[in-house]
Amino acid sequence: MPEIVAVDLAEEVVATLAPEGVPVACVRTDRELDRIDPAVTPAVLAAASAGVELAQAVHRAAPDAAVVFVADDADDATELTAALATTPGIGRHTRCLAADDGEEVRAELERAVQRLAHRQAMDRVRTQVEDFRGGSPETLSVYLGQLFDHAPLGILLVDPSGTVRAANPVCGEALGWPARQMVGADVATLLAAEDGAASDLVERCVTTGTRVEATLTRLGPQGTVQHLDVSATPVDPEHWALGVFVLLRDETARIEAMEAAEVARRAAVAEAERYAELAWTLQESLLPPDLPSVDGVAIGARFHPAGDGSEIGGDFFDIFQIGDDEWFAVVGDICGKGAGAARLTALTRYTLRATTVRTKTIERNLSDLNDALSRQYEQDRPRGQHRFATAAALRFHVGDDGALVVTAGSGGHAPPLVVRAGGEVEELACRGPLLGVFPSGNFVSDRTTLGPGDVVVLYTDGVTEARRGREEFGEDRLRLLLASMAG
């Protein structure tokens, strides 16, 4: 039974990447590689951090075993691949792939298992033929006939000149020739690979006495492209010029499935990238294109979406002029993500832009917004969509004395914080219900004046709920941070 050796990889990673039905032996370092058995180990699965030394150690212990490194990302995989390409003493079935390309890692391991099965079948044939050495030609002929008839893969017996001396029925099915007609034919003619690799395969085996493997691409019996996994090995390892066994398996379906999967993967990646670009474009359209300039006031904003940017988030902000000398700012959070959140964000922003011009109190502005979102909530509820919003808002203007007069309101959102130039941090006493849940609500405002060096800060829970492990950043840390930056 084949057994894949895993070096310094978490058990859950091994369980995800190893082929089903193949036992996995987990070892922690390359010093334990004496567990590798060349007869039953098709591959070694290892973290990229194990490096080229591990690949060399595996090649010394089991020259035919594949080494599949798993890197954290594509850049690390490319870096190790470059190092492997320039390092001697490494097997030809050594690859480094990114961890997020799990299907390709599994496919590489499956190919290693199949190569091992191929080698084991070849060894069995060679051993069984060896058992009959010295027997009568009739006995050997009967035995080989039975072996060829029942073998699950194609077997050709080829003399040193490349002429086929025996063939089994599976070869006929794979190559489209009657088995008897293949006897006496040139093996290169039978395999007829596109690049002439078939004749070279047997020639290299005959001249070197070593096993030679290749995947040949040819025009199959049905007139379509066919992929044959072929290996040639000497009939007698001590007298290898006597002839060659050529084993072949039709891998067309598997390779076409892999190619189709790769095409699908690339299409999915392209679609994900396109969706991420659309998501970011839509997200940007829901934010102010630039920050306004207000005499005597410094305005700043920071918007940093979590994740990879492929989803439209619910957080938003806006700031705009509502009169000759008055301005409005809002920071909010829409429940959920995606197109539904984007739709509610647009409704929130445009409702506020309309109501702040018509009405002059922040309580009324939030009440009008609540009415609009409540109506939308009732329309969406039959479809199972229950979205609501939170928001903290400011109306502000520069007074005659040059101070900034700020009126704050909140609908279910963390109230704004005022950081005084001396380091004190104050929470504005404005509270109100969630927006869009109840048809009416009591909104309370708070008013303050900012002098030189004072700052008012609006934020979302994306700041306070940011995590390092299980620990949240929290409001206390936010206040300490703001106090440290006073002035």
Side-chain angles (χ1 to χ4, degrees):
M1 184 68 177
E3 181 178 74
I4 292 176
V5 174
V7 180
D8 202 21
L9 277 174
E11 291 184 4
E12 60 268 21
V13 174
V14 172
T16 301
L17 299 179
E20 293 184 8
V22 179
V24 179
C26 294
V27 300
R28 303 306 300 173
T29 69
D30 58 358
R31 291 188 294 275
E32 301 178 54
L33 290 182
D34 55 355
R35 297 181 61 175
I36 293 179
D37 182 349
V40 297
T41 302
V44 173
L45 181 65
S49 56
V52 295
E53 293 82 3
L54 175 67
Q56 292 172 319
V58 172
H59 186 57
R60 290 193 296 270
D64 294 318
V67 182
V68 181
F69 289 105
V70 180
D72 290 337
D73 53 42
D75 291 339
D76 291 344
T78 300
E79 182 178 348
L80 181 55
T81 297
L84 293 169
T86 57
T87 303
I90 292 176
R92 67 189 185 97
H93 296 300
T94 301
R95 296 194 62 185
C96 184
L97 300 166
D100 58 2
D101 198 2
E103 289 303 319
E104 179 58 26
V105 174
R106 186 180 292 102
E108 191 68 25
L109 295 176
E110 288 174 349
R111 286 192 286 270
V113 172
Q114 291 171 352
R115 284 194 296 269
L116 174 63
H118 207 152
R119 291 195 300 271
Q120 290 173 334
M122 188 68 252
D123 290 342
R124 286 194 298 270
V125 170
R126 186 165 50 242
T127 300
Q128 291 166 352
V129 170
E130 180 70 20
D131 292 341
F132 279 85
R133 179 178 292 182
S136 68
E138 294 80 5
T139 301
L140 183 58
S141 176
V142 170
Y143 172 76
L144 286 177
Q146 293 176 343
L147 175 66
F148 284 11
D149 286 342
H150 299 289
L153 70 167
I155 304 176
L156 295 172
L157 177 60
V158 182
D159 67 18
S161 68
T163 301
V164 175
R165 295 306 179 189
N168 73 339
V170 174
C171 283
E173 297 172 7
L175 302 178
W177 287 61
R180 292 181 179 179
Q181 290 186 16
M182 288 189 280
V183 176
D186 182 69
V187 68
T189 302
L190 290 178
L191 298 179
E194 293 178 351
D195 54 3
S199 57
D200 179 63
L201 188 78
V202 174
E203 182 179 350
R204 282 188 289 143
C205 180
V206 170
T207 56
T208 64
T210 58
R211 181 175 63 253
V212 181
E213 299 176 349
T215 299
L216 304 182
T217 301
R218 63 190 294 273
L219 192 64
Q222 307 302 321
T224 57
V225 174
Q226 182 184 43
H227 303 282
L228 293 178
D229 191 9
V230 181
S231 68
T233 190
V235 171
D236 186 336
E238 296 181 2
H239 305 88
W240 38 265
L242 294 176
V244 172
F245 274 127
V246 177
L247 273 63
L248 58 90
R249 187 193 305 272
D250 191 340
E251 295 289 297
T252 304
R254 182 182 64 84
I255 291 177
E256 287 180 348
M258 290 175 56
E259 290 174 346
E262 177 63 14
V263 170
R265 185 191 68 82
R266 291 179 180 176
V269 169
E271 182 65 16
E273 291 174 348
R274 186 183 71 84
Y275 180 79
E277 184 177 355
L278 288 173
W280 178 244
T281 301
L282 180 54
Q283 187 86 70
E284 281 192 317
S285 72
L286 299 173
L287 301 173
D290 49 44
L291 299 177
S293 176
V294 180
D295 290 340
V297 181
I299 299 174
R302 174 72 169 175
F303 183 82
H304 182 72
D308 58 5
S310 62
E311 282 192 301
I312 304 166
D315 290 4
F316 71 95
F317 72 95
D318 201 3
I319 182 167
F320 51 89
Q321 190 169 7
I322 56 177
D324 292 339
D325 59 354
E326 191 173 15
W327 303 80
F328 190 89
V330 61
V331 164
D333 185 3
I334 304 297
C335 171
K337 298 181 182 298
R343 180 166 57 91
L344 211 61
T345 299
L347 176 61
T348 300
R349 292 184 67 226
Y350 296 128
T351 298
L352 285 174
R353 284 180 174 256
T355 184
T356 51
V357 174
R358 296 195 310 266
T359 58
K360 300 302 182 182
T361 68
I362 202 162
E363 295 93 337
R364 182 60 185 275
N365 300 152
L366 292 173
S367 180
D368 289 347
L369 174 60
N370 185 62
D371 291 343
L373 295 181
S374 296
R375 289 192 296 271
Q376 187 63 51
Y377 181 87
E378 291 300 322
Q379 294 176 17
D380 292 342
R381 187 163 57 176
R383 298 193 295 269
Q385 299 178 4
H386 308 292
R387 298 185 185 275
F388 57 88
T390 69
L394 305 174
R395 294 180 74 114
F396 63 91
H397 67 275
V398 179
D400 296 336
D401 59 356
L404 188 67
V405 181
V406 175
T407 304
S410 173
H413 199 90
L417 298 176
V418 174
V419 186
R420 300 299 178 183
E424 302 85 359
V425 178
E426 307 166 3
E427 181 180 284
L428 293 178
C430 55
R431 295 286 182 176
L434 293 172
L435 300 168
V437 177
F438 307 103
S440 62
N442 183 30
F443 297 95
V444 178
S445 66
D446 192 11
R447 186 182 179 95
T448 190
T449 301
L450 303 186
D454 292 348
V455 180
V456 60
V457 179
L458 298 91
Y459 61 96
T460 72
D461 58 12
V463 175
T464 54
E465 294 181 2
R467 290 179 177 271
R468 179 175 294 168
R470 296 184 177 182
E471 187 177 10
E472 289 187 348
F473 186 72
E475 293 190 5
D476 291 341
R477 281 196 180 94
L478 175 60
R479 289 173 180 249
L480 289 173
L481 175 64
L482 294 176
S484 71
M485 303 178 69

